[in-house]
PDB file of all heavy atoms in Angstrom:
ATOM      1  N   LEU M   1      36.360 151.822 117.644  1.00  0.00           N
ATOM      2  CA  LEU M   1      36.854 150.541 118.149  1.00  0.00           C
ATOM      3  C   LEU M   1      37.327 149.610 117.027  1.00  0.00           C
ATOM      4  O   LEU M   1      38.362 148.967 117.171  1.00  0.00           O
ATOM      5  CB  LEU M   1      35.733 149.792 118.953  1.00  0.00           C
ATOM      6  CG  LEU M   1      35.455 150.433 120.375  1.00  0.00           C
ATOM      7  CD1 LEU M   1      34.211 149.846 120.914  1.00  0.00           C
ATOM      8  CD2 LEU M   1      36.615 150.207 121.276  1.00  0.00           C
ATOM      9  N   PHE M   2      36.631 149.559 115.921  1.00  0.00           N
ATOM     10  CA  PHE M   2      37.065 148.757 114.785  1.00  0.00           C
ATOM     11  C   PHE M   2      38.366 149.321 114.181  1.00  0.00           C
ATOM     12  O   PHE M   2      39.205 148.521 113.786  1.00  0.00           O
ATOM     13  CB  PHE M   2      35.972 148.683 113.700  1.00  0.00           C
ATOM     14  CG  PHE M   2      34.920 147.666 114.020  1.00  0.00           C
ATOM     15  CD1 PHE M   2      33.558 148.009 114.062  1.00  0.00           C
ATOM     16  CD2 PHE M   2      35.211 146.369 114.317  1.00  0.00           C
ATOM     17  CE1 PHE M   2      32.547 147.113 114.298  1.00  0.00           C
ATOM     18  CE2 PHE M   2      34.230 145.405 114.552  1.00  0.00           C
ATOM     19  CZ  PHE M   2      32.914 145.804 114.600  1.00  0.00           C
ATOM     20  N   LEU M   3      38.548 150.581 114.163  1.00  0.00           N
ATOM     21  CA  LEU M   3      39.786 151.214 113.673  1.00  0.00           C
ATOM     22  C   LEU M   3      40.988 150.857 114.599  1.00  0.00           C
ATOM     23  O   LEU M   3      42.039 150.551 114.145  1.00  0.00           O
ATOM     24  CB  LEU M   3      39.653 152.701 113.531  1.00  0.00           C
ATOM     25  CG  LEU M   3      38.838 153.173 112.357  1.00  0.00           C
ATOM     26  CD1 LEU M   3      38.619 154.708 112.402  1.00  0.00           C
ATOM     27  CD2 LEU M   3      39.531 152.808 111.005  1.00  0.00           C
ATOM     28  N   TRP M   4      40.668 150.892 115.911  1.00  0.00           N
ATOM     29  CA  TRP M   4      41.686 150.538 116.887  1.00  0.00           C
ATOM     30  C   TRP M   4      42.082 149.066 116.719  1.00  0.00           C
ATOM     31  O   TRP M   4      43.252 148.691 116.726  1.00  0.00           O
ATOM     32  CB  TRP M   4      41.175 150.825 118.280  1.00  0.00           C
ATOM     33  CG  TRP M   4      42.176 150.573 119.380  1.00  0.00           C
ATOM     34  CD1 TRP M   4      43.528 150.611 119.335  1.00  0.00           C
ATOM     35  CD2 TRP M   4      41.870 150.115 120.711  1.00  0.00           C
ATOM     36  NE1 TRP M   4      44.088 150.257 120.513  1.00  0.00           N
ATOM     37  CE2 TRP M   4      43.087 149.951 121.385  1.00  0.00           C
ATOM     38  CE3 TRP M   4      40.695 149.891 121.376  1.00  0.00           C
ATOM     39  CZ2 TRP M   4      43.118 149.567 122.728  1.00  0.00           C
ATOM     40  CZ3 TRP M   4      40.774 149.504 122.694  1.00  0.00           C
ATOM     41  CH2 TRP M   4      41.962 149.344 123.350  1.00  0.00           C
ATOM     42  N   LEU M   5      41.071 148.211 116.530  1.00  0.00           N
ATOM     43  CA  LEU M   5      41.361 146.807 116.283  1.00  0.00           C
ATOM     44  C   LEU M   5      42.214 146.601 115.012  1.00  0.00           C
ATOM     45  O   LEU M   5      43.164 145.857 115.022  1.00  0.00           O
ATOM     46  CB  LEU M   5      40.061 145.987 116.174  1.00  0.00           C
ATOM     47  CG  LEU M   5      40.185 144.508 115.849  1.00  0.00           C
ATOM     48  CD1 LEU M   5      40.912 143.798 116.942  1.00  0.00           C
ATOM     49  CD2 LEU M   5      38.792 143.920 115.634  1.00  0.00           C
ATOM     50  N   GLY M   6      41.862 147.330 113.956  1.00  0.00           N
ATOM     51  CA  GLY M   6      42.622 147.254 112.740  1.00  0.00           C
ATOM     52  C   GLY M   6      44.068 147.699 112.934  1.00  0.00           C
ATOM     53  O   GLY M   6      45.024 147.093 112.451  1.00  0.00           O
ATOM     54  N   TYR M   7      44.232 148.742 113.735  1.00  0.00           N
ATOM     55  CA  TYR M   7      45.597 149.230 114.031  1.00  0.00           C
ATOM     56  C   TYR M   7      46.373 148.165 114.804  1.00  0.00           C
ATOM     57  O   TYR M   7      47.515 147.875 114.487  1.00  0.00           O
ATOM     58  CB  TYR M   7      45.537 150.513 114.894  1.00  0.00           C
ATOM     59  CG  TYR M   7      46.819 150.969 115.379  1.00  0.00           C
ATOM     60  CD1 TYR M   7      47.722 151.675 114.602  1.00  0.00           C
ATOM     61  CD2 TYR M   7      47.199 150.752 116.722  1.00  0.00           C
ATOM     62  CE1 TYR M   7      48.979 152.099 115.094  1.00  0.00           C
ATOM     63  CE2 TYR M   7      48.406 151.150 117.215  1.00  0.00           C
ATOM     64  CZ  TYR M   7      49.285 151.811 116.363  1.00  0.00           C
ATOM     65  OH  TYR M   7      50.518 152.203 116.869  1.00  0.00           O
ATOM     66  N   LEU M   8      45.721 147.584 115.782  1.00  0.00           N
ATOM     67  CA  LEU M   8      46.437 146.512 116.587  1.00  0.00           C
ATOM     68  C   LEU M   8      46.747 145.282 115.760  1.00  0.00           C
ATOM     69  O   LEU M   8      47.750 144.626 116.009  1.00  0.00           O
ATOM     70  CB  LEU M   8      45.516 146.140 117.782  1.00  0.00           C
ATOM     71  CG  LEU M   8      45.344 147.146 118.878  1.00  0.00           C
ATOM     72  CD1 LEU M   8      44.349 146.658 119.907  1.00  0.00           C
ATOM     73  CD2 LEU M   8      46.636 147.533 119.515  1.00  0.00           C
ATOM     74  N   LEU M   9      45.916 144.997 114.761  1.00  0.00           N
ATOM     75  CA  LEU M   9      46.154 143.757 113.945  1.00  0.00           C
ATOM     76  C   LEU M   9      47.104 143.998 112.802  1.00  0.00           C
ATOM     77  O   LEU M   9      47.849 143.082 112.433  1.00  0.00           O
ATOM     78  CB  LEU M   9      44.837 143.276 113.410  1.00  0.00           C
ATOM     79  CG  LEU M   9      43.891 142.564 114.333  1.00  0.00           C
ATOM     80  CD1 LEU M   9      42.555 142.241 113.684  1.00  0.00           C
ATOM     81  CD2 LEU M   9      44.540 141.247 114.855  1.00  0.00           C
ATOM     82  N   LEU M  10      47.138 145.171 112.231  1.00  0.00           N
ATOM     83  CA  LEU M  10      47.860 145.411 110.972  1.00  0.00           C
ATOM     84  C   LEU M  10      49.156 146.183 111.035  1.00  0.00           C
ATOM     85  O   LEU M  10      49.915 146.210 110.089  1.00  0.00           O
ATOM     86  CB  LEU M  10      46.885 146.061 109.977  1.00  0.00           C
ATOM     87  CG  LEU M  10      45.583 145.349 109.692  1.00  0.00           C
ATOM     88  CD1 LEU M  10      44.687 146.227 108.845  1.00  0.00           C
ATOM     89  CD2 LEU M  10      45.894 144.060 109.007  1.00  0.00           C
ATOM     90  N   ILE M  11      49.449 146.876 112.136  1.00  0.00           N
ATOM     91  CA  ILE M  11      50.581 147.760 112.217  1.00  0.00           C
ATOM     92  C   ILE M  11      51.680 147.075 113.005  1.00  0.00           C
ATOM     93  O   ILE M  11      51.478 146.595 114.176  1.00  0.00           O
ATOM     94  CB  ILE M  11      50.225 149.109 112.883  1.00  0.00           C
ATOM     95  CG1 ILE M  11      49.060 149.783 112.095  1.00  0.00           C
ATOM     96  CG2 ILE M  11      51.396 150.071 112.993  1.00  0.00           C
ATOM     97  CD1 ILE M  11      49.370 150.099 110.675  1.00  0.00           C
ATOM     98  N   PRO M  12      52.930 147.058 112.509  1.00  0.00           N
ATOM     99  CA  PRO M  12      54.054 146.497 113.286  1.00  0.00           C
ATOM    100  C   PRO M  12      54.316 147.347 114.540  1.00  0.00           C
ATOM    101  O   PRO M  12      53.952 148.541 114.614  1.00  0.00           O
ATOM    102  CB  PRO M  12      55.266 146.616 112.365  1.00  0.00           C
ATOM    103  CG  PRO M  12      54.696 146.836 111.008  1.00  0.00           C
ATOM    104  CD  PRO M  12      53.322 147.427 111.167  1.00  0.00           C
ATOM    105  N   PHE M  13      54.940 146.767 115.562  1.00  0.00           N
ATOM    106  CA  PHE M  13      55.127 147.442 116.818  1.00  0.00           C
ATOM    107  C   PHE M  13      56.429 147.058 117.438  1.00  0.00           C
ATOM    108  O   PHE M  13      57.099 146.109 117.011  1.00  0.00           O
ATOM    109  CB  PHE M  13      53.968 147.178 117.772  1.00  0.00           C
ATOM    110  CG  PHE M  13      53.741 145.754 118.081  1.00  0.00           C
ATOM    111  CD1 PHE M  13      54.177 145.245 119.280  1.00  0.00           C
ATOM    112  CD2 PHE M  13      53.067 144.895 117.228  1.00  0.00           C
ATOM    113  CE1 PHE M  13      53.999 143.883 119.590  1.00  0.00           C
ATOM    114  CE2 PHE M  13      52.864 143.569 117.509  1.00  0.00           C
ATOM    115  CZ  PHE M  13      53.355 143.092 118.716  1.00  0.00           C
ATOM    116  N   THR M  14      56.815 147.775 118.487  1.00  0.00           N
ATOM    117  CA  THR M  14      58.026 147.437 119.216  1.00  0.00           C
ATOM    118  C   THR M  14      57.674 147.114 120.696  1.00  0.00           C
ATOM    119  O   THR M  14      56.748 147.711 121.245  1.00  0.00           O
ATOM    120  CB  THR M  14      59.046 148.598 119.202  1.00  0.00           C
ATOM    121  OG1 THR M  14      58.452 149.733 119.722  1.00  0.00           O
ATOM    122  CG2 THR M  14      59.534 148.911 117.771  1.00  0.00           C
ATOM    123  N   VAL M  15      58.467 146.219 121.224  1.00  0.00           N
ATOM    124  CA  VAL M  15      58.276 145.869 122.622  1.00  0.00           C
ATOM    125  C   VAL M  15      59.550 146.274 123.363  1.00  0.00           C
ATOM    126  O   VAL M  15      60.638 145.952 122.959  1.00  0.00           O
ATOM    127  CB  VAL M  15      58.062 144.359 122.791  1.00  0.00           C
ATOM    128  CG1 VAL M  15      57.999 143.955 124.274  1.00  0.00           C
ATOM    129  CG2 VAL M  15      56.756 143.924 122.098  1.00  0.00           C
ATOM    130  N   HIS M  16      59.381 147.044 124.408  1.00  0.00           N
ATOM    131  CA  HIS M  16      60.525 147.468 125.238  1.00  0.00           C
ATOM    132  C   HIS M  16      60.659 146.549 126.396  1.00  0.00           C
ATOM    133  O   HIS M  16      59.748 146.291 127.203  1.00  0.00           O
ATOM    134  CB  HIS M  16      60.262 148.925 125.740  1.00  0.00           C
ATOM    135  CG  HIS M  16      60.050 149.891 124.648  1.00  0.00           C
ATOM    136  ND1 HIS M  16      61.076 150.426 123.882  1.00  0.00           N
ATOM    137  CD2 HIS M  16      58.892 150.453 124.216  1.00  0.00           C
ATOM    138  CE1 HIS M  16      60.564 151.238 122.988  1.00  0.00           C
ATOM    139  NE2 HIS M  16      59.248 151.269 123.167  1.00  0.00           N
ATOM    140  N   HIS M  17      61.854 145.968 126.480  1.00  0.00           N
ATOM    141  CA  HIS M  17      62.162 145.041 127.587  1.00  0.00           C
ATOM    142  C   HIS M  17      63.527 145.356 128.148  1.00  0.00           C
ATOM    143  O   HIS M  17      64.522 145.148 127.479  1.00  0.00           O
ATOM    144  CB  HIS M  17      62.093 143.580 127.079  1.00  0.00           C
ATOM    145  CG  HIS M  17      62.202 142.569 128.159  1.00  0.00           C
ATOM    146  ND1 HIS M  17      63.383 141.963 128.478  1.00  0.00           N
ATOM    147  CD2 HIS M  17      61.274 142.058 129.065  1.00  0.00           C
ATOM    148  CE1 HIS M  17      63.224 141.114 129.475  1.00  0.00           C
ATOM    149  NE2 HIS M  17      61.948 141.160 129.820  1.00  0.00           N
ATOM    150  N   TYR M  18      63.550 145.905 129.378  1.00  0.00           N
ATOM    151  CA  TYR M  18      64.766 146.384 129.953  1.00  0.00           C
ATOM    152  C   TYR M  18      65.495 147.341 129.033  1.00  0.00           C
ATOM    153  O   TYR M  18      64.963 148.404 128.721  1.00  0.00           O
ATOM    154  CB  TYR M  18      65.676 145.218 130.417  1.00  0.00           C
ATOM    155  CG  TYR M  18      65.026 144.328 131.414  1.00  0.00           C
ATOM    156  CD1 TYR M  18      64.675 143.046 131.155  1.00  0.00           C
ATOM    157  CD2 TYR M  18      64.805 144.809 132.747  1.00  0.00           C
ATOM    158  CE1 TYR M  18      64.051 142.194 132.064  1.00  0.00           C
ATOM    159  CE2 TYR M  18      64.153 144.009 133.663  1.00  0.00           C
ATOM    160  CZ  TYR M  18      63.834 142.709 133.338  1.00  0.00           C
ATOM    161  OH  TYR M  18      63.214 141.915 134.268  1.00  0.00           O
ATOM    162  N   GLN M  19      66.673 147.021 128.561  1.00  0.00           N
ATOM    163  CA  GLN M  19      67.420 147.873 127.604  1.00  0.00           C
ATOM    164  C   GLN M  19      67.130 147.544 126.173  1.00  0.00           C
ATOM    165  O   GLN M  19      67.617 148.253 125.320  1.00  0.00           O
ATOM    166  CB  GLN M  19      68.952 147.765 127.924  1.00  0.00           C
ATOM    167  CG  GLN M  19      69.362 148.096 129.318  1.00  0.00           C
ATOM    168  CD  GLN M  19      69.160 149.575 129.612  1.00  0.00           C
ATOM    169  OE1 GLN M  19      69.272 150.384 128.671  1.00  0.00           O
ATOM    170  NE2 GLN M  19      68.943 149.940 130.816  1.00  0.00           N
ATOM    171  N   ASP M  20      66.477 146.458 125.937  1.00  0.00           N
ATOM    172  CA  ASP M  20      66.229 146.000 124.541  1.00  0.00           C
ATOM    173  C   ASP M  20      64.938 146.566 123.971  1.00  0.00           C
ATOM    174  O   ASP M  20      64.007 146.834 124.678  1.00  0.00           O
ATOM    175  CB  ASP M  20      66.157 144.482 124.489  1.00  0.00           C
ATOM    176  CG  ASP M  20      67.424 143.781 124.924  1.00  0.00           C
ATOM    177  OD1 ASP M  20      68.499 144.493 124.886  1.00  0.00           O
ATOM    178  OD2 ASP M  20      67.373 142.620 125.344  1.00  0.00           O
ATOM    179  N   GLU M  21      64.942 146.720 122.655  1.00  0.00           N
ATOM    180  CA  GLU M  21      63.741 147.010 121.896  1.00  0.00           C
ATOM    181  C   GLU M  21      63.580 145.941 120.836  1.00  0.00           C
ATOM    182  O   GLU M  21      64.471 145.725 119.974  1.00  0.00           O
ATOM    183  CB  GLU M  21      63.875 148.379 121.164  1.00  0.00           C
ATOM    184  CG  GLU M  21      63.382 149.482 121.989  1.00  0.00           C
ATOM    185  CD  GLU M  21      63.218 150.773 121.187  1.00  0.00           C
ATOM    186  OE1 GLU M  21      63.311 150.713 119.919  1.00  0.00           O
ATOM    187  OE2 GLU M  21      63.016 151.816 121.792  1.00  0.00           O
ATOM    188  N   ILE M  22      62.500 145.203 120.877  1.00  0.00           N
ATOM    189  CA  ILE M  22      62.243 144.115 119.984  1.00  0.00           C
ATOM    190  C   ILE M  22      61.198 144.593 118.960  1.00  0.00           C
ATOM    191  O   ILE M  22      60.139 145.048 119.290  1.00  0.00           O
ATOM    192  CB  ILE M  22      61.726 142.881 120.740  1.00  0.00           C
ATOM    193  CG1 ILE M  22      62.687 142.448 121.796  1.00  0.00           C
ATOM    194  CG2 ILE M  22      61.408 141.766 119.725  1.00  0.00           C
ATOM    195  CD1 ILE M  22      62.135 141.390 122.726  1.00  0.00           C
ATOM    196  N   GLU M  23      61.624 144.474 117.681  1.00  0.00           N
ATOM    197  CA  GLU M  23      60.708 144.859 116.581  1.00  0.00           C
ATOM    198  C   GLU M  23      59.808 143.649 116.336  1.00  0.00           C
ATOM    199  O   GLU M  23      60.282 142.531 116.080  1.00  0.00           O
ATOM    200  CB  GLU M  23      61.486 145.269 115.336  1.00  0.00           C
ATOM    201  CG  GLU M  23      62.300 146.482 115.450  1.00  0.00           C
ATOM    202  CD  GLU M  23      61.464 147.705 115.575  1.00  0.00           C
ATOM    203  OE1 GLU M  23      60.356 147.784 114.907  1.00  0.00           O
ATOM    204  OE2 GLU M  23      61.883 148.633 116.264  1.00  0.00           O
ATOM    205  N   CYS M  24      58.503 143.875 116.335  1.00  0.00           N
ATOM    206  CA  CYS M  24      57.561 142.806 116.139  1.00  0.00           C
ATOM    207  C   CYS M  24      56.743 143.056 114.885  1.00  0.00           C
ATOM    208  O   CYS M  24      56.383 144.196 114.654  1.00  0.00           O
ATOM    209  CB  CYS M  24      56.656 142.633 117.348  1.00  0.00           C
ATOM    210  SG  CYS M  24      57.476 142.305 118.879  1.00  0.00           S
ATOM    211  N   GLU M  25      56.444 141.994 114.168  1.00  0.00           N
ATOM    212  CA  GLU M  25      55.559 142.164 113.017  1.00  0.00           C
ATOM    213  C   GLU M  25      54.106 142.252 113.505  1.00  0.00           C
ATOM    214  O   GLU M  25      53.765 141.837 114.629  1.00  0.00           O
ATOM    215  CB  GLU M  25      55.693 140.918 112.102  1.00  0.00           C
ATOM    216  CG  GLU M  25      57.003 140.826 111.396  1.00  0.00           C
ATOM    217  CD  GLU M  25      57.053 139.617 110.467  1.00  0.00           C
ATOM    218  OE1 GLU M  25      56.012 139.397 109.800  1.00  0.00           O
ATOM    219  OE2 GLU M  25      58.112 138.995 110.383  1.00  0.00           O
ATOM    220  N   ALA M  26      53.262 142.728 112.666  1.00  0.00           N
ATOM    221  CA  ALA M  26      51.834 142.741 112.958  1.00  0.00           C
ATOM    222  C   ALA M  26      51.355 141.337 113.099  1.00  0.00           C
ATOM    223  O   ALA M  26      51.752 140.431 112.415  1.00  0.00           O
ATOM    224  CB  ALA M  26      51.064 143.477 111.888  1.00  0.00           C
ATOM    225  N   PRO M  27      50.407 141.101 114.043  1.00  0.00           N
ATOM    226  CA  PRO M  27      49.910 139.730 114.281  1.00  0.00           C
ATOM    227  C   PRO M  27      49.321 139.077 112.967  1.00  0.00           C
ATOM    228  O   PRO M  27      49.494 137.905 112.765  1.00  0.00           O
ATOM    229  CB  PRO M  27      48.811 139.916 115.292  1.00  0.00           C
ATOM    230  CG  PRO M  27      49.192 141.129 116.069  1.00  0.00           C
ATOM    231  CD  PRO M  27      49.853 142.033 115.054  1.00  0.00           C
ATOM    232  N   VAL M  28      48.707 139.872 112.112  1.00  0.00           N
ATOM    233  CA  VAL M  28      48.074 139.322 110.958  1.00  0.00           C
ATOM    234  C   VAL M  28      49.146 138.863 109.897  1.00  0.00           C
ATOM    235  O   VAL M  28      48.989 137.875 109.214  1.00  0.00           O
ATOM    236  CB  VAL M  28      47.110 140.309 110.332  1.00  0.00           C
ATOM    237  CG1 VAL M  28      46.635 139.867 108.940  1.00  0.00           C
ATOM    238  CG2 VAL M  28      45.941 140.504 111.221  1.00  0.00           C
ATOM    239  N   PHE M  29      50.214 139.638 109.813  1.00  0.00           N
ATOM    240  CA  PHE M  29      51.240 139.378 108.780  1.00  0.00           C
ATOM    241  C   PHE M  29      52.395 138.527 109.259  1.00  0.00           C
ATOM    242  O   PHE M  29      53.298 138.307 108.446  1.00  0.00           O
ATOM    243  CB  PHE M  29      51.749 140.736 108.248  1.00  0.00           C
ATOM    244  CG  PHE M  29      50.663 141.565 107.617  1.00  0.00           C
ATOM    245  CD1 PHE M  29      50.468 142.832 108.030  1.00  0.00           C
ATOM    246  CD2 PHE M  29      49.887 141.048 106.593  1.00  0.00           C
ATOM    247  CE1 PHE M  29      49.461 143.590 107.461  1.00  0.00           C
ATOM    248  CE2 PHE M  29      48.919 141.784 105.998  1.00  0.00           C
ATOM    249  CZ  PHE M  29      48.681 143.058 106.436  1.00  0.00           C
ATOM    250  N   TYR M  30      52.374 138.060 110.464  1.00  0.00           N
ATOM    251  CA  TYR M  30      53.479 137.212 110.933  1.00  0.00           C
ATOM    252  C   TYR M  30      53.402 135.910 110.196  1.00  0.00           C
ATOM    253  O   TYR M  30      52.426 135.163 110.236  1.00  0.00           O
ATOM    254  CB  TYR M  30      53.368 136.970 112.429  1.00  0.00           C
ATOM    255  CG  TYR M  30      54.530 136.150 112.974  1.00  0.00           C
ATOM    256  CD1 TYR M  30      55.780 136.793 113.166  1.00  0.00           C
ATOM    257  CD2 TYR M  30      54.396 134.802 113.238  1.00  0.00           C
ATOM    258  CE1 TYR M  30      56.816 136.055 113.626  1.00  0.00           C
ATOM    259  CE2 TYR M  30      55.448 134.092 113.735  1.00  0.00           C
ATOM    260  CZ  TYR M  30      56.666 134.682 113.917  1.00  0.00           C
ATOM    261  OH  TYR M  30      57.698 133.957 114.385  1.00  0.00           O
TER     262      TYR M  30
END
């Protein structure tokens, strides 16, 4: 669970919205 939390906090991710893909920074590093 702590590793999963670290992944969610520290790794950048993409959000898919309709035809768009939005690149998002990790919540900690924004």
